Amino acid sequence: MLVPLLGREEIERIVKRIAKEIERDFADEEIIFVCLLKGSFVFASDLIRNVDNPCTVDFLRVSSYGDRMSSSGEIKIIKDLEVDINGKNVIIVEDIVDSGLTLKYVKELLLERGPKRLKICTLLDKRARRKVDLECDYIGYSFDDGFVVGYGIDYAEKYRNLPDIYILKNDRLEES
Ligand code: IMP
Ligand code: MG
């Protein structure tokens, strides 16, 4: 069962608000948006079209949950960046932070490459479930728990095409 969480108008308001925050923080400086595949591609595509700064986009894919609903904590790079981020302003764009393990790994990985500034932007934040210390710089919407889908976010690769965001409720699914 899909229970509505955020409709497209609300998502649009959130995206525009974050874009303004980014423009305020980076003035006219160039930004490299690092989109974490696959979940954040829809959010990233809306976000970059609302930011006026000169920017480029690159993609990073790390191992995902597969068909499970919570993180194993073991993370591997599946597709690395193509650009050199040394000395550049970088914003990591993520769909959702849960335990924080994925972003903590990605943040440390990218910091080793010597960016000028590194910021983290997430559309959704499941704050109550954090297992590691990780602060995001730009947060769209925080909530406590529940498995979400839609607007690029999947369960077992499905539901990415939904324009709105829902909580997926199904008694037969593994509890997260
Ligand atoms: P973390 O490492 O536990 O913070 O997990 C983050 C990653 O798991 C994100 O990149 C998401 O793609 C995925 N994820 C976490 N929560 C959900 C959810 O509710 N629905 C779909 N994917 C999720
Ligand atoms: Mg993801």
Side-chain angles (χ1 to χ4, degrees), residues 64-81:
S64 73
Y65 290 11
D67 290 356
R68 288 169 305 114
M69 292 176 102
S70 63
S71 182
S72 63
E74 252 181 68
I75 294 150
K76 286 186 225 108
I77 298 179
I78 293 171
K79 188 221 163 284
D80 206 341
L81 295 179

Side-chain angles (χ1 to χ4, degrees), residues 151-166:
Y151 193 67
I153 304 167
D154 75 311
Y155 171 63
E157 293 300 323
K158 295 200 192 98
Y159 307 111
R160 294 193 199 275
N161 57 325
L162 301 177
D164 307 299
I165 296 177
Y166 299 86

Side-chain angles (χ1 to χ4, degrees), residues 101-117:
L101 287 161
T102 307
L103 266 183
K104 189 175 161 60
Y105 172 85
V106 170
K107 184 182 176 186
E108 282 165 11
L109 177 85
L110 298 190
L111 275 177
E112 281 169 19
R113 301 181 183 181
K116 181 177 174 195
R117 288 168 81 190

Side-chain angles (χ1 to χ4, degrees), residues 65 71 94-96 98-102 126 146-148 153-154:
Y65 290 11
S71 182
E94 175 62 309
D95 52 354
I96 175 161
D98 185 24
S99 69
L101 287 161
T102 307
K126 280 194 225 175
F147 196 86
V148 302
I153 304 167
D154 75 311

Side-chain angles (χ1 to χ4, degrees), residues 22-29 31 52-54 117:
I22 290 172
E23 288 174 354
R24 183 199 62 206
D25 289 352
F26 286 88
D28 293 328
E29 289 187 56
I31 300 168
D52 284 336
N53 295 52
R117 288 168 81 190

Side-chain angles (χ1 to χ4, degrees), residues 36-40 94-96:
L36 292 193
L37 293 173
K38 297 179 188 173
S40 70
E94 175 62 309
D95 52 354
I96 175 161

Side-chain angles (χ1 to χ4, degrees), residues 3-174:
V3 180
L5 180 68
L6 295 174
R8 61 201 80 180
E9 289 87 7
E10 185 154 6
I11 296 171
E12 193 182 340
R13 276 196 293 276
I14 289 169
V15 169
K16 291 198 160 135
R17 191 247 304 152
I18 295 177
K20 288 275 157 302
E21 291 172 17
I22 290 172
E23 288 174 354
R24 183 199 62 206
D25 289 352
F26 286 88
D28 293 328
E29 289 187 56
E30 190 163 329
I31 300 168
I32 300 177
F33 286 98
V34 170
C35 174
L36 292 193
L37 293 173
K38 297 179 188 173
S40 70
F41 80 103
V42 175
F43 172 45
S45 76
D46 279 344
L47 182 66
I48 62 167
R49 283 179 289 169
N50 280 280
V51 173
D52 284 336
N53 295 52
C55 73
T56 59
V57 183
D58 203 355
F59 300 91
L60 182 69
R61 178 142 161 78
V62 294
S63 50
S64 73
Y65 290 11
D67 290 356
R68 288 169 305 114
M69 292 176 102
S70 63
S71 182
S72 63
E74 252 181 68
I75 294 150
K76 286 186 225 108
I77 298 179
I78 293 171
K79 188 221 163 284
D80 206 341
L81 295 179
E82 288 165 23
V83 295
D84 182 5
I85 61 166
N86 188 261
K88 303 283 172 66
N89 294 314
V90 176
I91 300 179
I92 302 168
V93 183
E94 175 62 309
D95 52 354
I96 175 161
V97 190
D98 185 24
S99 69
L101 287 161
T102 307
L103 266 183
K104 189 175 161 60
Y105 172 85
V106 170
K107 184 182 176 186
E108 282 165 11
L109 177 85
L110 298 190
L111 275 177
E112 281 169 19
R113 301 181 183 181
K116 181 177 174 195
R117 288 168 81 190
L118 180 69
K119 299 271 188 191
I120 296 176
C121 172
T122 186
L123 177 62
L124 302 174
D125 187 4
K126 280 194 225 175
R127 219 164 225 302
R129 290 180 43 95
R130 203 71 97 251
K131 288 194 191 138
V132 291
D133 191 22
L134 180 101
E135 288 300 323
C136 298
D137 303 284
Y138 309 103
I139 298 167
Y141 179 84
S142 298
F143 63 111
D144 283 339
D145 207 356
F147 196 86
V148 302
V149 294
Y151 193 67
I153 304 167
D154 75 311
Y155 171 63
E157 293 300 323
K158 295 200 192 98
Y159 307 111
R160 294 193 199 275
N161 57 325
L162 301 177
D164 307 299
I165 296 177
Y166 299 86
I167 303 260
L168 180 64
K169 293 213 166 140
N170 187 333
D171 295 343
R172 288 169 306 170
L173 294 175
E174 184 195 332

